[in-house]
């Protein structure tokens, strides 16, 4: 067990290098993208979502071409791209939670009981 942990610590993309910590901090972009899911589509920034999508796709490809392959960088950038593409789709199609003041719908009332059948 100790040798596996030692190998993890001394890996070229391990926690003693920037190759580990930069992707770890980049998860903040994914969290921010997920936090924007409840934002109305008209308030989503198209340029920002485009930049996140492109950055995620470009760096995901890059992470597979370097030696050693950095799977931590690959995973975070795939998720950055997914959240950016999802936000772009929401902006383009206008899909999102309706603003409460725009759709002020009252809850349904139960149907009145039917009168008893006469025989």
């Amino acid at each position: 067990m100790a040798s596996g942990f030692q190998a993890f610590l001394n890996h070229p993309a391990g926690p003693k290098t920037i190759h580990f910590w930069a992707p770890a901090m980049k998860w903040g972009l994914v969290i921010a993208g997920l936090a924007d899911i409840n934002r109305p589509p008209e308030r989503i920034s198209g340029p920002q979502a485009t930049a996140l999508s492109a950055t995620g796709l470009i760096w995901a490809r890059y992470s597979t071409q370097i030696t050693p392959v950095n799977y931590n960088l690959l995973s975070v950038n795939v998720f950055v791209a997914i959240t950016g593409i999802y936000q772009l789709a929401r902006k383009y199609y206008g899909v999102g939670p309706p603003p409460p003041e725009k759709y002020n719908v009252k809850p349904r009332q139960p149907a009145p009981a039917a009168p008893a059948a006469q025989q």
Side-chain angles (χ1 to χ4, degrees):
M1 182 72 172
S3 63
F5 184 69
Q6 196 70 4
F8 168 70
L9 283 178
N10 295 326
H11 190 272
K16 291 183 178 180
T17 67
I18 190 67
H19 306 293
F20 175 84
W21 292 106
M25 295 300 117
K26 200 168 186 178
W27 280 104
L29 293 175
V30 175
I31 293 167
L34 293 175
D36 284 346
I37 286 177
N38 291 328
R39 181 176 289 202
E42 60 272 2
R43 297 206 42 225
I44 294 172
S45 170
Q48 178 182 356
T50 302
L52 285 174
S53 303
T55 300
L57 292 172
I58 291 167
W59 284 99
R61 166 79 173 136
Y62 171 79
S63 67
T64 63
Q65 302 305 305
I66 58 176
T67 304
V69 175
N70 192 337
Y71 293 107
N72 190 12
L73 184 64
L74 174 64
S75 64
V76 72
N77 281 300
V78 165
F79 279 96
V80 167
I82 288 170
T83 55
I85 291 168
Y86 177 72
Q87 296 295 8
L88 277 176
R90 284 187 57 226
K91 180 156 185 72
Y92 180 74
Y93 293 112
V95 178
E101 64 276 355
K102 187 173 181 182
Y103 301 103
N104 192 6
V105 178
K106 294 180 183 175
R108 285 183 148 183
Q109 300 295 325
Q118 295 182 1
Q119 292 182 0

